[in-house]
Amino acid sequence: MNRNLYQPINGGIVDIIDESPTIKSFVLVLEETFKFETGQFVELTLPGEGEAPFTPSSSPSDTKKMEITIMKAGRVTALLHECEKGQKVGIRGPYGKGYPIDDFAGKDVYIIGGGVGLAPIRSLFLTLVERIEDFKSVICRFGAKTPDDFIYKNTLFDSWQKIDGVDIKLTVDDANGNWAGNTGVVTTILARDDVNIPNAVVVVCGPPIMMKFTTLKLLEYGFPTEKIYLSMEKNMSCGVGKCGHCMLGKYYVCKDGPVFTYDQIKSYPNIWD
Ligand SMILES: Cc1cc2nc3c(=O)[nH]c(=O)nc-3n(C[C@H](O)[C@H](O)[C@H](O)COP(=O)(O)OP(=O)(O)OC[C@H]3O[C@@H](n4cnc5c(N)ncnc54)[C@H](O)[C@@H]3O)c2cc1C
Ligand code: FES
């Protein structure tokens, strides 16, 4: 029998990690095996309160638990931030289309992220690293408002930087304390020769303003529009292509996205709103 589209799988929060002043990661264990592809999203239900869409930040290969990184933005996310270990939750999904990882094989994978946009990027990064020999290189350029605002500090500042085949550069808008890295928005650490453009794909995920200026810079460098992958966020309701809340031109972001190439959506106005 087919599962009801809207019926969540039960689960619970087994750990909570404070990532930054406004962002926490929640480690969930679900009562049923849950498969997803990196870049797809889920609807997370807080029973009796509501639900919201999030992109898992863990690798799909970790079938024992799922991690979701959540920025406090409004009602449901604020309630989630008040939860403690043991809280029951529900997950429905996975929904939408993720990153076409197999198409990235043999290429330089250029990953540009900012803020809580590092959540889907973490899932992608972990997936790429599991089969790093399949890719020419994995080049990451990440930004945050301040050093405190970086999420995944434990791994980002340390073990990820030591992986063979991976090159990571970080920047902050406002340096403070001991920050020895670059200061400036993420486009200030992008360079035309970071990757071999004819043999590269680019993944961009972050706040709309960051995605806009990053995309403009990539176009200026000569990246083809069909090689720029953007993770788009729109207000969503059903998550399954029924309610029309998430329309972007002819596309339903929940069903046809959330990952799109710039080529697919470039002709629509207000894509960065
Ligand atoms: C596919 C997808 C994946 C996402 N992944 C993550 C993730 O991994 N981590 C994370 O922290 N957040 C993620 N988000 C955003 C997250 O869903 C919203 O922050 C959340 O729905 C806000 O719910 P709320 O009840 O707390 O806020 P509300 O009280 O509903 O609203 C707070 C404010 O945020 C606005 N808002 C609500 N949802 C969105 C949205 N989707 N886009 C833009 N503005 C919105 C409202 O208009 C309002 O101004 C994702 C969104 C989408 C569509
Ligand atoms: S959220 Fe309902 S159609 Fe996309």
Side-chain angles (χ1 to χ4, degrees):
M1 196 176 72
N2 284 337
R3 163 180 283 278
N4 175 343
L5 217 52
Y6 298 101
Q7 178 68 44
I9 295 176
N10 294 326
I13 298 174
V14 297
D15 202 6
I16 301 172
I17 301 148
D18 284 315
E19 299 283 6
S20 83
T22 54
I23 300 175
K24 291 186 183 190
S25 289
F26 297 84
V27 183
L28 313 179
V29 171
L30 305 178
E31 288 175 4
E32 294 171 37
T33 305
F34 187 92
K35 291 191 177 155
F36 67 96
E37 289 169 16
T38 184
Q40 285 188 302
F41 73 96
V42 299
E43 290 279 348
L44 172 64
T45 309
L46 190 55
E49 296 295 349
E51 64 175 7
F54 302 101
T55 316
S57 53
S58 49
S59 165
S61 70
D62 186 352
T63 51
K64 298 251 177 329
K65 58 182 168 46
M66 175 191 290
E67 289 173 58
I68 295 188
T69 301
I70 299 177
M71 184 166 74
K72 205 198 275 191
R75 204 183 71 81
V76 173
T77 49
L79 288 168
L80 284 163
H81 270 236
E82 284 167 18
C83 289
E84 295 186 355
K85 281 188 219 175
Q87 171 69 50
K88 300 281 181 224
V89 294
I91 288 282
R92 60 182 181 97
Y95 298 125
K97 295 195 172 67
Y99 298 107
I101 305 279
D102 289 336
D103 295 350
F104 296 177
K107 298 195 163 64
D108 287 329
V109 187
Y110 196 26
I111 309 178
I112 305 165
V116 77
L118 291 197
I121 282 180
R122 176 174 182 263
S123 176
L124 171 68
F125 181 85
L126 296 174
T127 306
L128 296 174
V129 162
E130 281 163 14
R131 40 183 284 201
I132 190 84
E133 62 289 344
D134 288 353
F135 310 99
K136 189 143 181 306
S137 68
V138 175
I139 311 290
C140 303
R141 301 291 181 255
F142 298 150
K145 280 192 187 132
T146 73
D148 279 351
D149 289 305
F150 267 116
I151 58 177
Y152 315 129
K153 292 180 194 63
N154 287 349
T155 44
L156 180 59
F157 291 173
D158 187 37
S159 55
W160 285 7
Q161 308 226 6
K162 296 176 186 152
I163 301 170
D164 272 350
V166 170
D167 172 72
I168 298 182
K169 271 193 194 151
L170 306 176
T171 186
V172 294
D173 298 352
D174 296 311
N176 59 30
N178 295 323
W179 183 250
N182 189 77
T183 304
V185 293
V186 79
T187 47
T188 65
I189 53 167
L190 305 183
R192 199 182 292 268
D193 61 0
D194 277 340
V195 291
N196 174 22
I197 294 174
N199 190 40
V201 291
V202 199
V203 170
V204 187
C205 191
I209 186 88
M210 170 263 172
M211 297 227 286
K212 174 180 177 177
F213 285 103
T214 298
T215 302
L216 292 176
K217 179 67 100 177
L218 295 169
L219 295 173
E220 182 192 314
Y221 286 163
F223 280 89
T225 51
E226 68 277 11
K227 296 290 183 61
I228 301 174
Y229 292 87
L230 304 168
S231 197
M232 304 304 287
E233 282 191 12
K234 283 272 165 202
N235 272 321
M236 284 187 187
S237 184
C238 70
V240 292
K242 302 273 183 218
C243 71
H245 273 73
C246 65
M247 297 291 296
L248 180 63
K250 67 176 181 182
Y251 297 112
Y252 291 97
V253 174
C254 66
K255 201 158 63 94
D256 303 312
V259 174
F260 292 95
T261 63
Y262 180 62
D263 197 63
Q264 285 176 287
I265 56 173
K266 64 179 192 291
S267 60
Y268 300 122
N270 310 325
I271 59 171
W272 310 116
D273 290 350

